Amino acid sequence: MSRTTRTRIPGERRMLVAMAVDATGSGMYVPFSLVFFHHITGLSFAAVGLVLTVVGLVGLGALPLAGSAVDRFGAHRVQLVLYGIRGAGFLLYPFAHSLPAFAAVALMTAFGDRAFPAVQQSLIGEIARGADRDRLQASSRALRNGGLGAGALLASLIVALAGDTGFTAAAWLNAASFALAALLMNGVRVVRCVPAERPQAGYGLVLRDRPFLALTFANFLNALGYAALAILFPLYITTWLRGPAAMSGAAFTLNTILCAAGGVLVAARVRSRGARRTRSAALGSVLFAGSFVALVVLGTLRPGSAWLIGAALLAITVLYTLGELVHSPAAGALSVAAAPAELRGRYMAAYQLSWSLSAAVAPSLFTALLDVDGRLPWLLLAVTSLAAAALLLRLERVLPKSAVHALVPAAVAGSARPAQVTAAA
């Protein structure tokens, strides 16, 4: 009898708790990073912004290194190291008052932050097979959204009660969250299945894998849409629609709540219908495009009533979030399953570049188009989302069948075995 989606992988609960703790700590600074770092270092906003931009780009160099380390030592070990690097960085931030000191600490944490998602994706690939990967993807996404919201609220309360010293307390609490997450993950024993012969191709094989590179490019097109909520929404609402800034905050909050509350349920509903991962991800892309077209229509009509604009934006946010809930688990599991096990670390590092590059390109691209016409960025995003959907459907024929279909673990029992995971006593 095949395992149902409710069956947990041994040690899974500890991993999910670690993800929630990590996300809660990150939520203490992610929503207002410039203000956060300005207060704990004493540097100007301009200096903080410049340093974060430069180290963020340099930090991309951590991805190929992390990918190679995962393939050599396993994702579990590398993840624990990254927890240590990130925790040490936030522990040191309150002492980094000079520009060189802040740059050095920021570079250290940037390396950890840029590499971590690829390592976590690799870990999911090591410990789960088939539909379990989709379920873990959905759970991790929901926990991240819920944790970020809880962390932002906690940080707001700490700063309100403690003033500027609350930023230092938040930095140290974030460091403590990484330490606790590492402690939880250290209690999970992952037994890797190491291939008899290690491949010698390295990143050369990744670069020659045209279907996977096309999959990565499709994710880059969709990642631009993911960046829009935090970057483009506030500018569009306040400049083109001439609405209150609070509307963007309401949209972000609604998105966070829906992702946290509905992520697992929507993903389970999609899996229960037996949808192929490529088609689920493509459907999510189409829903994204629909929300972007709706924003173009709203920007063309530009109703004068604030409540009407607000109601329309909230409805569009629900459609956008539904696209995210459908796309994210399927696309994440698809990328993990499409990577050969012996080079999964390098493959996930290459895939993560699509997220990092979109985050680097989006601010300048969006603002340049917005200066010409407020609707242009949304038109571009509608086109990129539809192009991503079309590309995903084309890739269905060339990607491995085991990646396209979310098979239950029992169906792949005769193939390569996943790593064994247990919770330490």
Side-chain angles (χ1 to χ4, degrees), residues 135-158:
R135 181 171 54 80
L136 284 179
Q137 292 283 352
S139 297
S140 65
R141 185 80 182 179
L143 287 171
R144 177 159 182 79
N145 278 278
L148 288 175
L153 177 60
L154 180 59
S156 299
L157 292 174
I158 292 173

Side-chain angles (χ1 to χ4, degrees), residues 66-276:
S68 299
V70 166
D71 292 334
R72 183 174 180 82
F73 303 108
H76 186 246
R77 292 182 181 179
V78 178
Q79 185 187 59
L80 294 178
V81 172
L82 292 181
Y83 272 135
I85 292 173
R86 297 163 79 201
F90 278 89
L91 194 65
L92 294 174
Y93 268 128
F95 304 104
H97 299 296
S98 68
L99 186 59
F102 174 60
V105 176
L107 181 60
M108 177 174 69
T109 53
F111 265 67
D113 287 340
R114 291 293 182 274
F116 191 83
V119 174
Q120 182 160 287
Q121 289 286 84
S122 299
L123 181 62
I124 290 175
E126 285 185 7
I127 66 176
R129 282 285 190 269
D132 278 345
R133 284 178 178 163
D134 302 70
R135 181 171 54 80
L136 284 179
Q137 292 283 352
S139 297
S140 65
R141 185 80 182 179
L143 287 171
R144 177 159 182 79
N145 278 278
L148 288 175
L153 177 60
L154 180 59
S156 299
L157 292 174
I158 292 173
V159 172
L161 294 174
D164 287 352
T165 58
F167 287 99
T168 297
W172 285 344
L173 283 173
N174 191 24
S177 75
F178 292 135
L180 178 57
L183 183 63
L184 288 166
M185 284 304 302
N186 190 50
V188 176
R189 301 289 180 245
V190 179
V191 181
R192 297 177 66 214
C193 289
V194 182
E197 295 184 5
R198 293 186 178 277
Q200 302 298 320
Y203 281 103
L205 183 61
V206 182
L207 295 176
R208 291 193 297 271
D209 191 336
R210 294 179 63 183
F212 190 85
L213 292 181
L215 180 64
T216 302
F217 179 67
N219 191 68
F220 170 78
L221 296 176
N222 275 318
L224 290 172
Y226 277 89
L229 186 64
I231 298 172
L232 185 54
F233 249 64
L235 294 175
Y236 186 67
I237 291 171
T238 56
T239 59
W240 187 258
L241 296 179
R242 296 188 178 89
M247 287 183 181
S248 62
F252 185 84
T253 301
L254 178 61
N255 171 265
T256 301
I257 292 174
L258 290 177
C259 285
V264 176
L265 294 176
V266 171
R269 181 71 173 175
V270 172
R271 289 198 309 275
S272 69
R273 293 181 174 272
R276 300 177 185 182

Side-chain angles (χ1 to χ4, degrees), residues 218-406:
N219 191 68
F220 170 78
L221 296 176
N222 275 318
L224 290 172
Y226 277 89
L229 186 64
I231 298 172
L232 185 54
F233 249 64
L235 294 175
Y236 186 67
I237 291 171
T238 56
T239 59
W240 187 258
L241 296 179
R242 296 188 178 89
M247 287 183 181
S248 62
F252 185 84
T253 301
L254 178 61
N255 171 265
T256 301
I257 292 174
L258 290 177
C259 285
V264 176
L265 294 176
V266 171
R269 181 71 173 175
V270 172
R271 289 198 309 275
S272 69
R273 293 181 174 272
R276 300 177 185 182
R277 287 170 176 148
T278 43
R279 298 183 184 185
S280 297
L283 175 60
S285 299
V286 171
L287 293 172
F288 278 143
S291 68
F292 300 146
V293 170
L295 284 164
V296 173
V297 173
L298 181 62
T300 301
L301 298 176
R302 299 171 85 174
S305 171
W307 73 264
L308 187 57
I309 293 177
L313 285 172
L314 291 180
I316 292 170
T317 301
V318 171
L319 179 60
Y320 171 92
T321 304
L322 182 59
E324 182 177 346
L325 295 177
V326 173
H327 173 269
S328 180
L334 179 62
S335 66
V336 172
E342 64 274 12
L343 286 174
R344 186 177 289 121
R346 290 176 172 88
Y347 269 72
M348 290 301 96
Y351 189 80
Q352 183 61 30
L353 276 174
S354 63
W355 290 104
S356 299
L357 289 177
S358 69
V361 168
S364 58
L365 177 63
F366 291 162
T367 52
L369 293 175
L370 194 65
D371 285 342
V372 178
D373 189 301
R375 295 164 293 183
L376 279 181
W378 300 116
L379 282 172
L380 173 67
L381 290 174
V383 171
T384 57
S385 297
L386 291 175
L391 183 54
L392 284 165
L393 293 178
R394 284 183 61 86
L395 287 173
E396 190 172 285
R397 295 177 297 176
V398 294
L399 288 172
K401 290 184 178 180
S402 59
V404 172
H405 298 272

